[in-house]
Amino acid sequence: MVDKKYIRNFSIIAHIDHGKSTLADRLLEMTGALSQREMREQFLDKMDLEREKGITIKLQPVRMKYRLDLSTNPQPSGHARPCRTGFSSVDVATTTSFSDKTTSASPESRPAHQAIADKSSMDYELNLIDTPGHVDFSYEVSRSLAAVEGAILLVDATQGIQAQTLANLYLAIEQNLVIIPVINKIDLPAAEVEKTKGEIVKLLGYSSEEIICISAKTGKGVTEILDRIIKVVPAPAGEESKPLRALIFDSNYDKYRGVVAYIRVFDGVIHQGEKIKLLATGAVSEALEVGFFDPNYHKSRELQAGEIGYVVTNFHEVSECRVGDTLTLEKEAQKIIPLKGYTEVKPMVFAGVFPKEGDAFENLREAMGRLKLNDAALVYEPEQSQALGYGFRCGFLGLLHLEIFQERLRREFNLDLIVTVPSVAYKIYRRNGDEPEVIRSPQQLPSGAEIDHIEEPWIRLDIITPKNYLGAVMKLAQEKRGVYRNTEYLDETRVILHYEMPLSMILTDFYDKLKSLTSGYGSINYEMLDYRRAEVVRLDIMVADHIVEPLATIVYRDEAFKRGKEIVTTLKESLPREMFVIKLQAVIGGQIIAAERISALRKDVTAKLYGGDVTRKRKLLEKQRQGKKKMMALGRGQVDIPSEVFVKLLKH
């Protein structure tokens, strides 16, 4: 059992692409958690999707060992000397590897040079939780921060402080965490270290000497971070003698052993084989296995107060094990007060998800449950569509969250899906009712005669941009119905614009346009404000005289024609031609506001006609026209819209 004063729990927080995963790689390498042979880039990013996109999607915990040299640092609170200072093969060979399970070995079982070193050294247990940087996965960040005592605030020297840097910093401050400011990528030619230092000093009030400058890629300065963690991050509180209280901050599903809960133990001790209980759900089971991450699952005898690890719960129902629940021992359940847990996530974007094949619905239901366990921000409920059959209305934190969700269902569960056009949640006030009705899809919108008024969600939007692009960014925000509030200056070259804006305005192309206008330097962060009155209508799309429900959307009345024209034009360019004319129409309440036509493929019915009067040719062509007309009347003129077209319209 490790003394709690030698345990440090911390996270890495930063804007996307500021180098969190690379820094985690260097920390793993320098602490001996991984050898050079085992090492690969983005090691903690377990999913292929994360590697392909170059972003972290899921938080990932890992335990590392760090050796304090007592001969030069007699006090545990002093600076630590790293296990090694470089990346040579000699260093790897002489470092105690956590993955080699040497932490519990006796001095006699270790090499002679290690046994001697043990007499004048002390091992620290460092628990790192790597976090995503994109705004759509901020819920992952908030959960990880609730399980630690300190946070490394990583800032790219070439980009400076960005919107998500500030958002994640505020989350850390709310948890009263110790902040360690670090500037990364100082080795790049475009690095502006002194400028970035000035931004951090202005933001946090730190002196420039307290800011650590590193290159996570080369390893320069990284050992200083380990020293600082030991020195300033407090040891975890809690007592082993108290009843067990552990916070579930994440989970995963093993088809052979059930739900694997990722926990931070605040009080007590948990051993393998003990009966456990979850306080929120009341579910009871047995701890089949307990352990920690090294970075893979590493079975251990127990987890004590202050430690981060996992419990194989043997729960097979997803609903029994919830993120944010308090895990305790069944025999002690009546003695404890549940931990605070997490604020319930509020989805921002809603879309319908339907299997292409009707018999795949049960597979989709099971897959949704598995993903829900691994993605606590996902919200869903069953939905039925006349055109698409049975599916789910899903809530997401943003479009990237939706895209990742769709891709995971395809890759991990081999599901072919139709995803409807995303929308936000509206409040409908009927003429004959007092309480508002919340709708999450255009299909739920009642007829205009029943509606008194509609309200839509608004957000507080922060845009960080270089001053050179200020005019273009403000014009974009105005086009998106943004209401300007004020401007803050980060430094002489960059500003923060504060706007209030309808959430629906940033769902599709806002971020892409911002990046284009600012040459990639612009960034955003947003949070919910309230609901406000909106002049919106339901826009239906008809293909071959049939309403295509997945293409229905809610739009502003003054933008309905433009949006309808864009959709039917895109369909005309995307849909394959048929043997009959395809009519494309944008409709509001039975009124056609925009239309296009896809001309019919013409089968050469006169190919075998040789010579003769021209009337013979005309008779064949007329017979063809009548046949097409009859086919349309019999309902055989329905058009199958490929999933690629839905995706194209979504991105458009």
Side-chain angles (χ1 to χ4, degrees), residues 303-474:
L303 288 175
Q304 65 176 33
E307 291 190 312
I308 292 173
Y310 69 89
V311 178
V312 179
T313 64
N314 200 30
F315 290 126
H316 289 273
E317 293 294 329
V318 175
S319 59
E320 292 178 317
C321 189
R322 299 176 186 171
V323 168
D325 204 346
T326 300
L327 185 147
T328 187
L329 300 181
E330 184 185 19
K331 61 184 180 183
E332 300 174 341
Q334 303 299 323
K335 303 178 184 178
I336 67 170
I337 301 173
L339 295 166
K340 183 179 178 182
Y342 304 111
T343 303
E344 187 174 350
V345 64
K346 297 179 180 178
M348 300 286 189
V349 179
F350 295 88
V353 178
F354 299 86
K356 267 198 164 182
E357 304 294 333
D359 57 358
F361 174 74
E362 288 302 324
N363 294 336
L364 177 60
R365 183 196 297 274
E366 183 179 354
M368 296 278 282
R370 299 287 184 264
L371 282 191
K372 172 65 177 177
L373 193 66
N374 193 238
D375 183 359
L378 175 65
V379 176
Y380 64 93
E381 60 184 20
E383 184 179 51
Q384 184 180 5
S385 166
Q386 292 182 352
L388 302 174
Y390 290 97
F392 294 92
R393 172 63 44 173
C394 302
F396 306 94
L397 297 181
L399 284 185
L400 180 61
H401 188 195
L402 166 59
E403 182 182 343
I404 296 297
F405 165 82
Q406 187 177 357
E407 188 65 17
R408 289 187 68 184
L409 285 176
R410 185 183 69 82
R411 294 190 182 198
E412 298 175 20
F413 301 95
N414 198 29
L415 289 170
D416 197 6
L417 305 170
I418 294 176
V419 180
T420 64
V421 178
S423 63
V424 300
Y426 292 89
K427 288 184 179 180
I428 309 299
Y429 291 82
R430 297 179 182 264
R431 297 185 187 277
N432 57 354
D434 297 326
E435 294 297 321
E437 176 185 343
V438 178
I439 66 164
R440 296 180 174 86
S441 69
Q443 290 76 22
Q444 296 175 330
L445 187 67
S447 65
E450 301 178 41
I451 300 174
D452 181 74
H453 68 277
I454 301 174
E455 293 183 351
E456 64 176 345
W458 277 62
I459 59 172
R460 181 185 290 111
L461 179 67
D462 302 325
I463 307 172
I464 297 182
T465 177
K467 283 198 308 184
N468 299 343
Y469 307 106
L470 189 60
V473 172
M474 293 184 75

